[in-house]
Amino acid sequence: MIIDLKLDIQTNKTMLLSNVNELGTSKVTVIFANIPAETASITFGPYVSGQLSVINGEIAVDITDYIPNSGVIECVVAAGETQFRATFKTEGYIQREESFMLQQEGEAFVFRRILTNLRMSEIINLLFPIGHIIESTNPEDPTKRLGGRWERFGNGKVLVGVDEGQPEFESVRKSGGHKEMQRHNHGVVKATWVNNHGHSFSGNRTLVEKSGNHSHKVTAKYFGGQTAKGTNYARWNDDGNKSTGWGSMNTTGEHQHYFTPSGSISAAGGHDHNVTIPDAGGGNAGNLQPYITVYRWIRTE
């Protein structure tokens, strides 16, 4: 296995991590880049370099013989006032003749054995740890092939990634949602005018109001010597003569009222317009996304 690791000591970032499988060969090289000095010293566990020349801002160190069989090793690069640290560790126990690889986990670099040196049960545990989910069109319980214990998971539901920024999805195994549209309200913002204003329209429009059987009654009396001006009114008899007695007009039966306005409606002073919208949705409007079904299992033991 040929392993190359390149680290920027100014930003503490990994610039390169390469694992190339080459049978019969094991070599691990660490390149420290962006060194702000002409010389620097490298300490890697028992390895202490002394002062090394910096070429094009870099120093390359072969640490193959210093990889620990187990445990943790601290690496330190000292270049003038700049000091860089990195942590290396070995997972499990690595024999010198075994093949291994290097992986980054957070701020640490971990040496691990190549899977060809593991038993089948160890491989399965690495690939399918507890909590792992698999999907298949085969209804067979994965326990028969993979061991452990598996249970059906999330039947009739889709999966959504955890998002800590949204309360609906902020934690794992949180369930929610509905297949059908739920009863809900449509909010309306109340509009208020504090100044006088008018409502205008153009053209003519006839309003026809049909109200069924009903009547209108008008009662009036003529006062002698008065005209139909002011507050006194006259009524006429059927023969066309004025009457000094009380009388009435009564219209019954189904009829209509016509109102034909044009122009504009004058200002009505400061007032509000209120709109009320009732609840919407009855729980059966349908809200299903396009889907296709599979068997889903989760490992529990």
Side-chain angles (χ1 to χ4, degrees):
M1 180 65 70
I2 305 298
I3 299 175
D4 292 308
L5 173 63
K6 189 172 184 179
L7 300 173
D8 187 328
I9 71 169
Q10 297 284 354
T11 62
N12 292 342
K13 291 184 178 180
T14 301
M15 303 174 65
L16 171 69
L17 176 54
S18 172
N19 291 273
V20 179
N21 190 9
E22 186 172 323
L23 296 177
T25 303
S26 293
K27 185 177 181 180
V28 181
T29 303
V30 179
I31 303 171
F32 300 98
N34 201 14
I35 300 175
E38 295 182 356
T39 61
S41 63
I42 311 294
T43 301
F44 186 87
Y47 170 78
V48 179
S49 68
Q51 291 297 314
L52 300 175
S53 297
V54 177
I55 302 176
N56 296 325
E58 298 180 352
I59 293 178
V61 179
D62 184 347
I63 62 170
T64 308
D65 294 334
Y66 304 99
I67 296 173
N69 298 108
S70 62
V72 178
I73 280 185
E74 294 294 330
C75 175
V76 179
V77 178
E81 297 181 356
T82 300
Q83 192 172 81
F84 169 80
R85 293 179 178 273
T87 300
F88 291 79
K89 63 182 180 179
T90 300
E91 185 177 87
Y93 186 85
I94 296 179
Q95 298 287 350
R96 186 60 58 189
E97 64 275 10
E98 291 180 326
S99 297
F100 53 87
M101 63 188 302
L102 181 64
Q103 296 177 312
Q104 185 173 5
E105 290 187 355
E107 299 296 326
F109 297 91
V110 183
F111 292 100
R112 289 191 173 95
R113 289 179 293 169
I114 300 298
L115 295 180
T116 52
N117 295 309
L118 299 177
R119 296 190 304 271
M120 181 59 67
S121 61
E122 293 177 305
I123 296 176
I124 290 175
N125 288 334
L126 285 173
L127 295 178
F128 306 104
I130 293 175
H132 190 82
I133 293 173
I134 62 174
E135 293 179 331
S136 174
T137 57
N138 186 347
E140 183 181 61
D141 188 336
T143 303
K144 297 180 180 179
R145 295 180 180 273
L146 301 177
R149 183 181 295 276
W150 297 77
E151 296 177 356
R152 293 280 297 277
F153 182 75
N155 294 351
K157 297 183 178 181
V158 297
L159 299 181
V160 177
V162 172
D163 184 351
E164 292 80 1
Q166 300 189 61
E168 297 87 354
F169 315 124
E170 63 187 356
S171 59
V172 72
R173 288 179 174 260
K174 193 169 185 178
S175 181
H178 304 274
K179 287 197 304 182
E180 298 175 342
M181 190 72 70
Q182 300 300 295
R183 189 174 183 85
H184 58 282
N185 296 323
H186 294 280
V188 177
V189 177
K190 180 181 179 181
T192 302
W193 288 264
V194 296
N195 297 317
N196 293 343
H197 66 283
H199 302 271
S200 62
F201 59 90
S202 60
N204 298 321
R205 180 172 179 175
T206 299
L207 174 66
V208 180
E209 179 68 24
K210 190 173 183 179
S211 300
N213 293 333
H214 64 286
S215 64
H216 301 272
K217 186 175 182 179
V218 178
T219 302
K221 183 179 180 181
Y222 173 73
F223 292 89
Q226 299 294 326
T227 64
K229 295 182 179 179
T231 59
N232 295 321
Y233 296 90
R235 78 175 181 88
W236 297 87
N237 294 325
D238 293 336
D239 58 3
N241 296 318
K242 294 180 179 178
S243 173
T244 58
W246 291 101
S248 65
M249 178 186 69
N250 192 8
T251 302
T252 61
E254 185 174 349
H255 59 282
Q256 297 176 349
H257 300 274
Y258 296 88
F259 175 59
T260 305
S262 65
S264 65
I265 301 174
S266 62
H271 61 281
D272 298 341
H273 297 274
N274 297 320
V275 179
T276 301
I277 299 178
D279 292 349
N284 58 358
N287 198 33
L288 277 178
Q289 62 183 344
Y291 62 86
I292 187 168
T293 58
V294 295
Y295 294 98
R296 185 187 297 132
W297 302 82
I298 183 171
R299 185 175 179 184
T300 58
E301 294 181 14

